[in-house]
Amino acid sequence: MAGNVWFIAGASNGFGRAIGFEALKRGDKVVATSRNPAKMEDLKAAGALVLALDVTSDDATIRAVFQKAVDTYGKITHCINAAGYVLEAAAEEASAQEVFNQFNTNVLGVMSMTRHALHHMRPRRQGVIANFGSLASWQGVPAASYYCSTKFAVTGFTETVHNEVSGLGISAVIIEPGHFRTGFLNEGGANRIKAANPLTEEYKGTPVDVVKSQLDGLDNKQPGDVVKGAKVIVDVLTQTGVAEGKKIPNRLILGRDALDAVQDKIKSTEANIKEWEHVILSTDHDDVKK
C-alpha cells in the first residue's frame, strides 16, 4: 500500500513510539500524538508530525487533531491506538475513580479514536485500525482485574468493528503482545499506576501478592523485543515483509508468552466444553432440533 499515513495515539513510548520510527524508516508519513509532545522530540526530528492529544478528550478536540493530520497529509491510512496503562490493583483495592480512569483511557479512548478514524477512512473505502490488546485479553491476571477487563473489552469491540467495516475495505485488528521490554512496568512511570489504598496485609501470600512481586521482577527483563515487534506490526498492517501475500488477521499475537496464554485458554475452554456439553445443550426448547 503506497503512500501510507500513520496516525498513532500513545506515540511517546512503547509500541506507539517504535511503530512510528519503523514507519518513518520505510518512508511513510507519521502523525505522532501523545498527552506530552515534549516526549516525542526524537520522532519530530525523524520527520513525524507531532501533535498533543489525550485520548480521553471530547469529540471536538479529537476531531480537530484528526483534521490537522488530514489537512497536512491528505488522508489517514493507518490508525494505531497504543495509549493505555495498567492499574495495579485487585478488584477490592481500587476506588471507583481509579476504575473509571482505567476504562476511560484503555476502552473509551480506544473507542473514540476508532470512531474518528472511521469517519476519514470510510469515504475512501480503505484503511487499517489497530487497537492494542494484550495476553491479558485471554486470561485474568490477579492484581490486574481492571486492566484485564479493559483488554477483553477492546478485543470484543475491535472484532465487532471489523465485522461492521470489512465490507467497506477497512480492517480492524487487535494486537495482542505478551510482555515486551518497553518500560511499561517501570516504577513511577505513567504506564503502571498502583491503587492509592492497597490491601497489602489482607492479600499477603495470595495470588495478588505473588503477581505484584512478579511484576517487579519482570520490569526491564521482559522477553519481547519492541523493535522486532514493531517491524512485524508494520509488515502485517501493510501486507509486506513477513506478511507478503497474506490477509491482515483480525488478531495479531506477539511473543511466546502471549502464544502460551492463548493456547492455555483454548485447552481449558475445550476441556470445559467437553465436561459440560450435555448441560449446555440441555437448556434449549424441546422443539429445537437436536
Side-chain angles (χ1 to χ4, degrees):
M1 189 185 296
N4 296 318
V5 179
W6 299 73
F7 188 105
I8 305 174
S12 61
N13 55 39
F15 268 105
R17 180 177 183 275
I19 292 168
F21 277 115
E22 180 64 29
L24 287 168
K25 187 169 71 175
R26 300 185 188 204
D28 292 347
K29 304 297 184 184
V30 171
V31 181
T33 75
S34 168
R35 289 180 300 174
N36 190 346
K39 292 184 177 180
M40 300 185 291
E41 286 299 319
D42 50 357
L43 276 168
K44 184 177 181 179
L49 171 64
V50 168
L51 300 174
L53 178 63
D54 183 334
V55 297
T56 66
S57 299
D58 58 55
D59 277 345
T61 300
I62 297 174
R63 187 183 306 117
V65 177
F66 268 92
Q67 192 59 52
K68 174 67 174 175
V70 172
D71 288 345
T72 302
Y73 295 125
K75 61 183 178 180
I76 294 167
T77 62
H78 295 75
C79 179
I80 307 294
N81 292 313
Y85 69 96
V86 57
L87 173 63
E88 185 178 309
E92 189 186 1
E93 292 180 308
S95 68
Q97 187 63 54
E98 288 171 328
V99 174
F100 172 78
N101 292 344
Q102 175 81 117
F103 274 80
N104 199 24
T105 295
N106 287 19
V107 180
L108 300 183
V110 167
M111 291 176 174
S112 291
M113 298 299 293
T114 299
R115 286 198 311 274
H116 288 279
L118 286 172
H119 176 72
H120 291 284
M121 292 177 178
R122 177 180 43 75
R124 300 183 65 250
R125 302 183 77 84
Q126 183 186 55
V128 180
I129 296 171
N131 298 330
F132 268 81
S134 165
L135 63 76
S137 300
W138 289 85
Q139 60 181 203
V141 180
S145 308
Y146 298 103
Y147 176 74
C148 291
S149 58
T150 64
K151 294 305 179 181
F152 271 76
V154 168
T155 290
F157 172 71
T158 306
E159 284 192 355
T160 306
V161 168
H162 179 78
N163 291 338
E164 292 173 346
V165 302
S166 59
L168 300 174
I170 301 167
S171 295
V173 184
I174 184 74
I175 299 173
E176 297 174 327
H179 293 287
F180 277 71
R181 214 169 295 175
T182 63
F184 191 76
L185 297 177
N186 289 175
E187 286 279 355
N191 297 116
R192 182 184 179 188
I193 306 297
K194 297 183 178 183
N197 297 299
L199 301 172
T200 305
E201 288 302 315
E202 292 84 346
Y203 280 88
K204 190 172 183 179
T206 70
V208 171
D209 184 34
V210 171
V211 169
K212 287 182 179 181
S213 296
Q214 288 175 339
L215 292 178
D216 288 333
L218 189 61
D219 187 24
N220 296 324
K221 297 178 182 177
Q222 296 96 325
D225 183 327
V226 69
V227 175
K228 290 182 179 179
K231 185 178 185 303
V232 168
I233 290 169
V234 175
D235 275 356
V236 170
L237 300 187
T238 57
Q239 298 172 278
T240 59
V242 298
E244 185 78 44
K246 297 179 182 291
K247 289 180 63 177
I248 298 175
N250 297 135
R251 306 174 84 132
L252 177 60
I253 300 161
L254 298 174
R256 183 174 298 278
D257 52 350
L259 179 60
D260 288 344
V262 173
Q263 290 177 331
D264 287 346
K265 187 71 169 187
I266 292 170
K267 290 176 183 176
S268 65
T269 301
E270 287 179 335
N272 182 61
I273 290 172
K274 184 176 181 180
E275 179 180 359
W276 290 93
E277 184 174 6
H278 67 291
V279 175
I280 295 168
L281 298 177
S282 71
T283 58
D284 289 343
H285 276 287
D286 292 339
D287 60 2
V288 175
K289 289 185 178 181
K290 302 300 184 184

